[in-house]
Amino acid sequence: MEDVSALKMLSASEPELEAFSDDEWRGLILYLVDLLQTHFGGRIVTESLENAWMGGIGFCLYISNANESPNTPMSWKGILGATTVDGKLHVSLTVFFYSGDKRLVAKLGEGGMDGRGGKEFAEYVLDSSEEGVCRWKLLDWFDDVYGEYDNF
């Protein structure tokens, strides 16, 4: 997808978003994954775009880093998604970090509200400027208060 097409979708209103085809949504996803590869400095693997949820005004799919170095046990996986907020498309990435098969928890402050002892995932948001520049920004670290990501 060309940057112009992606920026058109990213700045579209909710009624305009409903008119985009699944192929246009897939193109936007590929554009966003490319931005993430630049941001994180490595190749990213996605689930099949045919398996991604696309609901007319958003999408959701699983992604992870390619972790191509056998000497580096660090990896991450996450959920890339978009939905409308206040009539505009809001794109975010929820990221979990791993060492081998152990999920890592950030010790920021006194620990989680549920006694787990730390912040369990990072949330990134896509920040789009009026000049058409898109970049990923770390929003914050969060607790999995309700255990919704226990099996992730």
Side-chain angles (χ1 to χ4, degrees):
M1 170 176 272
E2 295 179 23
D3 291 357
V4 174
S5 299
L7 292 174
K8 181 180 176 185
M9 288 184 78
L10 291 170
S11 62
S13 67
E14 190 167 338
E16 294 169 325
L17 289 169
E18 293 173 0
F20 289 111
S21 69
D22 283 355
D23 285 338
E24 288 172 306
W25 282 105
R26 286 183 194 98
L28 176 62
I29 290 168
L30 292 173
Y31 171 79
L32 295 169
V33 167
D34 189 52
L35 286 177
L36 282 167
Q37 289 178 139
T38 300
H39 181 80
F40 285 115
R43 194 168 66 85
I44 291 177
V45 177
T46 69
E47 69 176 307
S48 166
L49 294 185
E50 298 301 319
N51 294 335
W53 174 85
M54 290 178 279
I57 56 169
F59 64 86
C60 181
L61 81 153
Y62 296 112
I63 67 172
S64 63
N65 68 319
N67 198 18
E68 297 168 320
S69 173
N71 298 325
T72 306
M74 298 294 294
S75 64
W76 63 266
K77 60 183 176 179
I79 304 165
L80 176 63
T83 190
T84 55
V85 175
D86 297 328
K88 293 289 185 182
L89 196 62
H90 173 80
V91 181
S92 65
L93 172 67
T94 301
V95 180
F96 299 88
F97 295 92
Y98 296 84
S99 177
D101 63 349
K102 303 272 191 231
R103 191 158 83 183
L104 302 176
V105 174
K107 292 286 188 178
L108 304 171
E110 295 298 315
M113 292 171 52
D114 60 358
R116 294 174 186 235
K119 305 292 184 178
E120 299 180 65
F121 62 91
E123 187 79 17
Y124 289 83
V125 293
L126 187 68
D127 187 26
S128 304
S129 71
E130 290 181 15
E131 296 81 33
V133 177
C134 295
R135 64 182 181 87
W136 289 98
K137 179 176 89 172
L138 176 63
L139 181 62
D140 207 346
W141 286 84
F142 295 94
D143 298 317
D144 184 9
V145 176
Y146 302 107
E148 63 188 302
Y149 299 117
D150 280 350
N151 296 320
F152 192 80

